Amino acid sequence: MKSSPNFFKAMLATLVLAITFSCSDDDNGGQPPIEQEQNIVEIALGTPELSILVSALSAADGNLVDLLGTDGPFTVLAPTNAAFTAFLASNGFGSLDDVPTDVLAEILLNHVISADITSGDLAAAGAGYASTNASGAGGNNISIYFNTSNGVRFNNVAAVTDGGADIDASNGTIHIVDAVIPIPSILAHAAANADFNSLAVALGAADGDLIDVLSGDGPFTVLAPDNAAFSTFLDGADLGGVNTAVLSQILLNHVLDGVVTSSDLVAGGAGYTNTSATGPGENALSLYYNTSDGVVFNGISTVTAADVVGTNGIIHAVDTVIDIPTVVTFAAADPTFSTLVEALTTLTPGTDFVSILSRTEGSNADGINPDFTVFAPTNDAFTDLGDLPGEVVLTQVLLHHVVGGANVTSGDLTPDGDTTAPTLEGDNITITLPGTDPNIADVTDGAGNTGIGIIAVDVQAGNGVIHVLDTVLLPDTTN
């Protein structure tokens, strides 16, 4: 029987198809093709309620669509269309086109965290801070506060919507939120975190329009006592009973000019800076920091949450209200003066130096009145002295380091000349400017010893000032 050409063509086509399918099965092991997981941008494009977000990402500076298409990982807090509509209306924008593109970019970056964070991660932490990709004070990344006590909320202005959590993408996670999250100032951060409720109330109650002050451009560094710190400080009293002028100075004692990060403090190790509070002569009060065991201020207040960044500054949460310091505060806080503190306390029990040098009011019966100028020898200075004298002589030696009734700063000294000052012991000391290198100034003590070095100046307390000495001053024991 003769076969037709069409029959051979059909057989050939069948053979080709069989070979093709066989090769295809060999390529993928006989498994169906794996579906490619979508990235954050692709998911947003396919989600109708995020259409304004997609438009905003395209319109903003910074090629944000390209950024969020990279590997990441990212966590994106994605505002709904309703959230954008409300944001535009509340800020006086007629449409998305009216928002400056650089501003829009920062707002959007405030919703992007460079880590893959699930709702489970947030719930496990309970509450805390993360860093967004928006830029804040000092070029640091803006912080965002989260709290999971009632749903998942960010900066107490936006909540994750029902069913909007944990949308998994190839390069991170999306959480859909019900509000656009404004870029926070330091005051907005304080308002968002309920742990700072007492601080917010105190700022409003104090003299000096401190809310207006801290709403300014700054930048500021704020050491923010939490509610427990205020409760301990008030010790059962009502905040309304605190003199508002005093309250203002206490609060300003927690405010530094400029942006000081925890890394800056750690790099410094220990030392002094100035706060916005003022002491005698309207001089800025000093603040001592030490990072040998955490970050501690004036020896009493420890940082519990560092580097909360806002648009106009940075917050470090602290566990103790930092009261106005006395000269005793700094001597006790600074380990450089540990031998001096021992001399003022355990080695001279017959004189209550701590109470005397903590005085803030005058007209005392013994005639020893603030302000005090204290010339404070370092531990090394006492070591160089050798064995300390007995209590009677040591008491006179210590009194020889204190000038009463005067807050004598370095700026009050006679330039290119001598300044003579009477000490509580009775003998004069003479301070000479400029000092011999490397001294800032030289001191001649009551015994006539010269070349004693002032090596640091103007540690300003609320009741006086400290200058640091490299040698112990000795009084004239012959008079």
Side-chain angles (χ1 to χ4, degrees), residues 266-292:
V266 169
Y272 293 89
T273 187
N274 291 328
T275 75
S276 295
T278 55
E282 296 301 308
N283 295 305
L285 291 184
S286 298
L287 181 76
Y288 176 72
Y289 65 91
N290 190 303
T291 63
S292 61

Side-chain angles (χ1 to χ4, degrees), residues 144-305:
I144 191 166
Y145 176 69
F146 64 89
N147 189 301
T148 62
S149 60
N150 183 22
V152 179
R153 295 186 63 80
F154 296 97
N155 284 1
N156 205 27
V157 297
V160 175
T161 62
D162 290 340
D166 298 329
I167 300 171
D168 194 32
S170 62
N171 61 343
T173 298
I174 298 172
H175 303 296
I176 298 176
V177 294
D178 63 3
V180 173
I181 306 168
I183 303 176
S185 65
I186 52 177
L187 285 181
H189 272 309
N193 188 342
D195 281 343
F196 297 135
N197 283 351
S198 295
L199 173 61
V201 172
L203 288 169
D207 287 356
D209 297 320
L210 298 189
I211 289 178
D212 287 344
V213 170
L214 294 177
S215 297
D217 292 339
F220 307 101
T221 297
V222 175
L223 312 178
D226 58 24
N227 295 340
F230 270 100
S231 180
T232 300
F233 174 73
L234 293 170
D235 193 22
D238 186 73
L239 183 64
V242 180
N243 180 286
T244 53
V246 172
L247 180 60
S248 179
Q249 286 299 306
I250 292 171
L251 293 173
L252 288 170
N253 198 43
H254 296 73
V255 180
L256 317 179
D257 285 337
V259 175
V260 182
T261 66
S262 59
S263 296
D264 295 331
L265 295 168
V266 169
Y272 293 89
T273 187
N274 291 328
T275 75
S276 295
T278 55
E282 296 301 308
N283 295 305
L285 291 184
S286 298
L287 181 76
Y288 176 72
Y289 65 91
N290 190 303
T291 63
S292 61
D293 184 16
V295 178
V296 182
F297 297 101
N298 283 2
I300 59 170
S301 190
T302 300
V303 172
T304 57

Side-chain angles (χ1 to χ4, degrees), residues 363-375:
S363 302
N364 295 290
D366 59 9
I368 301 177
N369 300 310
D371 299 323
F372 301 109
T373 301
V374 177
F375 296 87

